[in-house]
Amino acid sequence: MRDLVAFLKKYNYWFVFVILEVVSMLLMFQYNSYHGSVWFSSANYVTGLTYEVDSKFSSFMGQGTANQQLTQRNLMLEREVAILRAQLIDERMQRDSSYVYDGQMPLLNQYKLIPARVISNSINKADNFITIDKGRYDGVHEDMGVACGNGVVGVVYMASGHYAVVIPVLSTHSNISCAIKGRGYFGYLHWNGGASNIAYVDDIPRHAEFEIGDTIVTSGYSSMFPAGILVGKVLKKGDSDDGLSYKLQISLSTDFGNLRDVCVIDDAAVRERLELLREATDSLNPQKK
C-alpha cells in the first residue's frame, strides 16, 4: 500500500496531465462540430475495418465445413446422374415417366453420406493407408466405401470410436469392381505401385467394345460401392498376362496427393448384400464358425 501511495505521489503530475487531456478532448469533440465529425468518421472506419477482418477470419475458418458440404453434394449429384441415366436407358422410361419418381426416390433414400476429413495420408508406399476423423460413434464401420468429390477413394479397413483407417485405391490390397460407363463391361481395379494417378482394370472381355478416353465407374457389383461412382478414364489398352482378356491403364480421377475432404458411403442396400455374402461364406465354411 505504501508503495502505491509513493508511486502516485511520484507521478501525480502525469496523472493530472492525462486526465486534463482526456477532458479537453471530450469538450473539443462535443462542442466543435468539425472535430466531432472527423472523430466520428475515423471511429467508423476503424470499426468497419475490424468487422471486415473478423468476417474474413470467420469465413476462412468455415471453409472446412463448406468443403465437406460441397464434397457431399458432388457425390450425391454423381449418384443421381448415374441412376437417372440407367433409368433413361430402360424401356419403361418410354412408357411411363412417373417411374423416375416411383422407383428413384427409394434408391436415394438408402444412400447416406458421412462427411469426414483426412488427417493422415500416404501415397509413396506399396500399401498406403488413410486415416479419417470419423469412427463408429459417427456411424462408420468396416467395409464401407469411401469417396470424395472427384471419385472413389477406398474402403474402410478398421474403425475405432472416433477414427477410421481406409485402404485406398493406392494399395496392393485394393480390389474394386468397376465398369466401362455406358458399355456394361466390368473388371477389377488394382494398383501396381508407382504413380499415384495411374491404376489398372483387369478382366475386361476380349469382345468388349470401348474407346480410349471412356469413363470408368463403380459397377455396383461390389459389396462396398453402389453403381456410378467415378473412378477415372481409360488411357491405354493392353493384354492380360494370360492373353485372355484386356488390361486397361486408368487415369484416376481422385488426386490422392491433395486429398482433404471425403465421404463414407453408408448404403443400406450395400450393407444388406454384404451381410448376405458373409452368411453364404460362413455356410460354405462351417469349420470356421
Side-chain angles (χ1 to χ4, degrees):
M1 186 64 183
R2 286 182 298 178
D3 293 338
L4 178 61
V5 173
F7 175 79
L8 294 175
K9 286 182 178 180
K10 183 177 180 180
Y11 296 102
N12 61 340
Y13 297 108
W14 285 103
F15 288 122
V16 173
F17 173 75
V18 171
I19 293 173
L20 291 177
E21 283 291 321
V22 171
V23 172
S24 62
M25 293 288 286
L26 291 174
L27 292 175
M28 181 177 68
F29 290 132
Q30 184 175 358
Y31 294 104
N32 291 274
S33 59
Y34 173 74
H35 295 86
S37 63
V38 171
W39 165 256
F40 182 76
S41 299
S42 300
N44 278 349
Y45 173 76
V46 174
T47 302
L49 184 62
T50 302
Y51 284 143
E52 182 180 1
V53 173
D54 179 70
S55 176
K56 290 181 178 179
F57 178 76
S58 299
S59 176
F60 174 78
M61 295 301 292
Q63 285 183 355
T65 301
N67 287 338
Q68 291 182 350
Q69 293 174 348
L70 288 173
T71 300
Q72 183 173 358
R73 183 57 181 164
N74 285 342
L75 285 172
M76 180 63 73
L77 290 175
E78 288 180 9
R79 173 65 168 165
E80 291 180 8
V81 169
I83 297 177
L84 287 173
R85 182 179 290 107
Q87 303 298 347
L88 287 172
I89 296 174
D90 198 310
E91 293 181 355
R92 286 175 294 182
M93 288 295 300
Q94 301 176 4
R95 301 195 301 267
D96 184 9
S97 60
S98 65
Y99 179 77
V100 174
Y101 301 98
D102 295 337
Q104 182 61 42
M105 293 310 297
L107 292 175
L108 294 179
N109 289 338
Q110 294 176 357
Y111 191 75
K112 178 184 176 182
L113 301 175
I114 304 172
R117 179 171 286 271
V118 174
I119 59 175
S120 176
N121 186 17
S122 64
I123 61 174
N124 57 356
K125 301 175 181 178
D127 295 314
N128 295 289
F129 291 99
I130 295 174
T131 304
I132 59 176
D133 65 350
K134 294 296 174 64
R136 293 185 180 275
Y137 296 153
D138 306 289
V140 176
H141 299 281
E142 291 80 359
D143 298 322
M144 284 185 172
V146 181
C148 67
N150 294 327
V152 167
V153 173
V155 177
V156 175
Y157 176 59
M158 298 177 63
S160 63
H162 300 284
Y163 301 96
V165 174
V166 177
I167 294 180
V169 171
L170 304 185
S171 172
T172 58
H173 295 289
S174 178
N175 191 31
I176 299 172
S177 179
C178 300
I180 303 175
K181 186 177 180 180
R183 301 185 185 273
Y185 303 107
F186 70 94
Y188 294 92
L189 179 72
H190 70 274
W191 184 66
N192 292 337
S196 62
N197 63 329
I198 301 296
Y200 298 88
V201 175
D202 289 329
D203 299 335
I204 299 296
R206 300 290 296 186
H207 63 272
E209 297 180 359
F210 58 91
E211 298 177 358
I212 302 301
D214 278 356
T215 300
I216 303 296
V217 297
T218 53
S219 65
Y221 300 143
S222 167
S223 57
M224 288 79 172
F225 291 97
I229 304 298
L230 184 62
V231 175
K233 291 185 178 295
V234 178
L235 287 180
K236 295 180 182 179
K237 176 178 68 173
D239 294 328
S240 62
D241 295 336
D242 57 14
L244 299 179
S245 60
Y246 287 127
K247 178 178 181 180
L248 307 184
Q249 187 183 69
I250 305 300
S251 173
L252 295 172
S253 60
T254 299
D255 184 359
F256 286 91
N258 188 30
L259 195 59
R260 297 291 181 272
D261 297 292
V262 299
C263 282
V264 181
I265 301 173
D266 183 8
D267 192 316
V270 170
R271 292 200 308 272
E272 182 178 352
R273 293 202 306 269
L274 184 60
E275 289 299 324
L276 182 61
L277 180 61
R278 285 174 175 168
E279 291 178 6
T281 302
D282 291 341
S283 66
L284 292 175
N285 298 279
Q287 68 274 12
K288 293 184 178 181
K289 292 184 178 180

